């Protein structure tokens, strides 16, 4: 019969038999079972959901537990009475059991189930043999009798354990009673201690009330005095606090005309239950002296939070009010004087700001450490940095790194000497350009504050004009030289080209005539071919000389061609078609044209010359890399009253040290014979004569952008 599996784990837990050390009583029972049944092996097996554990055993060597799936006891628990297997090898349920196939070699099994007092089956008492055998009725009765003895032992142990648990509970209850008695005794001692403390505190409070310099009183809910200290009694004109008890403010001569106000304050505290603290009120003493007191009133509440009365205390502040009045008068005088000084300081500050804002010079105000405290608009415009960004910045950090040493020494000398001048000091603008200043600095001391005033004269424009004058002088000289050279070279070049063209025609005619002559030597034909190549090279070289002379003549003339309306997009498209062969194997072309671009006033021929020069230069800067890497971008846009044309490449770029010189005549970075150095100079001159401007930005290794700005046709 199948047993109730759900009850077994709880019954085993209550039995406290699992995984416990060996006990003689159980060991003696299994030995008796083995002897009475004539088997070498006997054991007590306890069955859990996933295993069976041997509580006691005799004659069995090996593990103290096995898996339950294939165990004998699992099958035995399914039946009433003795479970008998006379030959386990002949029983397919157990033929593969580890105890059958292993070193124990079990061949015989007999077992009876063990039942707890509440009827739960928890395991088996079983005997085993290593050979098959029969089973007698006396052996069956003997095993069943031992099973009952074992169950009696289990029940006795359970009852003993219950008695022990009950004894433990009784001992714990006794211990709790002893602890409770000790706690009650401690509570009684604590209560006595608290009562003594309360008496001490009452005596201390009585002493404090008697000697405190403040007046203290307490009332019931009807504003009837319940008591006071000696100081309050003196204020009210009575000799003892006992004379105050049972009276109200209306009955006291010291309360005077303010009794109703006092009682109104009492009602506010008594009804709201909220303290009213540190408020000032008048008091007329019994001797007629008028005083001011600082009063606080606090509600008295019982254990349930009900307001039963109030306590009041006040201190005479008449002298303090007289001192405060004097202080207020003095404060008024000081404030009026301070306001006058502040007005003077404000006016001085406004004058300083006015001077800074309207000064044509750069002005910085620094703190003692050299950080910017104030700056004028001229400095903002010159550096291209806003006031908010400049404030708090170290003035030294505004200089280029290689020029910070002199500036650092200047600031150090300024703190010692009071005034310092620097003839030329560079600062770095937001765009990275160098701004040159002539600096006059002075130390400003106001009280403990030390300020450094820096006034700078912008020398950048002055240096630019000086360089421009030098450049103009060079251009004038170069123009005169170019005009002379062009005049001297032009005529010889013309007749050399004319003669070369004549020789080219004569050679072609001679070649045609000789072709009709039979037996012409091959050497003569080769010579005629070589002459053709030589003449072609001479013509190309002569034409290049003629073009250079023409550019030099243009460079030397101040008057340009007549200006007319020009469509920039059409002009760019024509030039890009002309440069197609130069670009197609070098770079990809990207056009970024504005949707609506007004015409400009320009010479279309000269403008095309400038575009072609810049595009050819860009193509030459992108010789390496191919069309997948290189891009030529041509874009247009409108900027105010001007049209901007951008021509960008992704070539090798222009080194920073070379960039300032690229518009100088005859300056070139190309190899000898690869350029004259006049292209950019002539292009800049053409654009300037049209009223425009040429700009350039370049980053080595990333490319160059030339920007042309031309006025819109009005």
């Amino acid at each position: 019969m199948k047993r109730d599996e759900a009850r077994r784990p709880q019954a085993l837990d209550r039995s406290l038999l699992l995984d416990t050390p060996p006990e003689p009583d159980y060991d003696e029972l299994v030995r008796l079972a083995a002897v009475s049944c004539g088997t070498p092996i006997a054991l007590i097996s306890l069955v859990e959901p996933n295993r069976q554990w041997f509580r006691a055993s005799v004659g069995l060597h090996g593990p103290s537990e096995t898996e339950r799936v294939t165990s004998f006891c699992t099958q035995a628990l399914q039946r009433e009475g003795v479970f008998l297997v006379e030959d386990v090898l002949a029983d397919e349920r157990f033929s593969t059991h580890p105890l059958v196939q292993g070193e124990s070699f079990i061949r015989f099994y007999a077992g009876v189930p063990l039942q707890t007092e509440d009827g739960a089956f928890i395991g088996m008492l079983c005997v085993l043999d290593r050979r098959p055998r029969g089973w007698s009725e006396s052996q069956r009765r003997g095993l069943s009798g031992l099973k009952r003895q074992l169950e009696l032992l289990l029940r006795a142990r359970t009852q003993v354990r219950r008695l022990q648990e009950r004894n433990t509970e009784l001992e714990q209850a006794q211990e709790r009673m002893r602890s409770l008695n000790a706690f009650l005794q401690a509570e009684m001692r604590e209560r006595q201690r608290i009562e003594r403390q309360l008496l001490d505190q009452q005596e201390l409070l009585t002493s404090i009330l008697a000697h405190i310099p403040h007046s203290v009183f307490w009332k019931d809910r009807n504003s009837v005095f319940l008591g006071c200290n000696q100081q309050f009694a003196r204020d009210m004109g009575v000799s003892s606090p006992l004379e105050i008890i049972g009276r109200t403010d209306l009955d006291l001569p010291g309360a005077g005309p303010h009794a109703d106000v006092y009682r109104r304050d009492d009602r506010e505290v008594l009804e709201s239950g909220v303290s009213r603290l540190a408020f000032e009120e008048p008091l007329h003493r019994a001797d007629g002296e008028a005083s001011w007191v600082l009063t606080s009133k606090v509600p008295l509440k019982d254990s349930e939070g009900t307001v039963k009365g109030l306590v009041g205390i006040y201190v005479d502040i008449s002298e303090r009010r007289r001192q405060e009045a004097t202080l207020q008068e003095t404060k008024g005088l000081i404030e009026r004087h301070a306001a006058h000084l502040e007005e003077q300081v404000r006016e001085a500050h406004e004058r300083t700001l006015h001077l800074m804002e309207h000064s044509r010079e750069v002005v910085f105000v620094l703190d003692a450490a050299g950080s910017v405290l104030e700056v004028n608009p001229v400095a903002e415009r010159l550096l291209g940095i806003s006031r908010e960004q400049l404030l708090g910045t170290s003035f030294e950090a505004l200089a280029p790194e290689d020029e910070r040493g002199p500036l650092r020494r200047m600031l150090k000398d300024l703190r010692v000497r009071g005034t310092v001048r620097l003839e030329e000091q560079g600062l770095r603008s937001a765009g990275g350009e160098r701004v040159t200043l002539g600096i006059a600095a002075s130390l400003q001391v106001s009280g403990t504050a030390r300020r450094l005033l820096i006034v700078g004269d912008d020398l950048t424009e002055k240096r630019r004009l000086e360089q421009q004058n030098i450049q103009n002088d060079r251009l004038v000289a170069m123009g005169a030289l170019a005009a002379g050279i062009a005049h001297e070279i032009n005529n010889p070049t013309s007749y050399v080209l004319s003669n070369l063209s004549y020789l080219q025609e004569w050679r072609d005619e001679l070649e045609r005539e000789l072709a009709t002559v039979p037996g012409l030597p091959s050497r003569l034909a080769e010579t005629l071919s070589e002459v053709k190549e030589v003449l072609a090279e001479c013509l190309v070289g002569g034409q290049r000389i003629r073009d250079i002379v023409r550019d030099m003549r243009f460079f030397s003339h101040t008057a340009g061609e007549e200006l007319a309306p020009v469509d920039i997009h059409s002009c760019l498209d024509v030039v890009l078609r002309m440069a197609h062969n130069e670009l197609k194997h070098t770079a990809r072309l990207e056009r970024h044209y504005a949707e609506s671009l007004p015409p400009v006033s320009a010479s279309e021929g000269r403008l095309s010359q400038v575009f072609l020069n810049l595009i050819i230069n860009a193509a030459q800067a992108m010789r390496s890399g191919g069309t997948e890497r290189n891009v030529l971008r041509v874009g247009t846009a409108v900027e105010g009253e001007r049209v901007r044309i951008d021509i960008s490449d992704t070539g090798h770029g222009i080194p920073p040290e070379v960039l300032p010189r690229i518009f100088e005549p005859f300056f070139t970075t190309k190899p000898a014979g690869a350029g004259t150095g006049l292209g950019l100079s002539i292009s800049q001159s053409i654009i300037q004569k049209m009223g425009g401007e040429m700009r350039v930005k370049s980053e080595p290794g990333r490319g160059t952008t030339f920007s042309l700005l031309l006025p819109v046709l009005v």
Side-chain angles (χ1 to χ4, degrees), residues 261-275:
V261 176
Y262 298 159
R263 291 172 64 82
R264 186 178 66 244
D265 293 340
D266 292 347
R267 284 196 302 274
E268 180 181 340
V269 174
L270 292 168
E271 292 174 2
S272 66
V274 178
S275 302

Side-chain angles (χ1 to χ4, degrees), residues 110 112 126 161 191 240 278 320 348 426 481 488 492 544 547 575 597 622 628 668:
V112 288
C126 51
R161 185 174 67 254
R191 182 183 295 274
S240 169
R320 192 190 76 181
L481 177 62
E488 293 297 330
R544 179 166 176 75
D547 292 341
V575 171
L597 199 68
M622 298 186 291
E628 293 184 359
T668 180

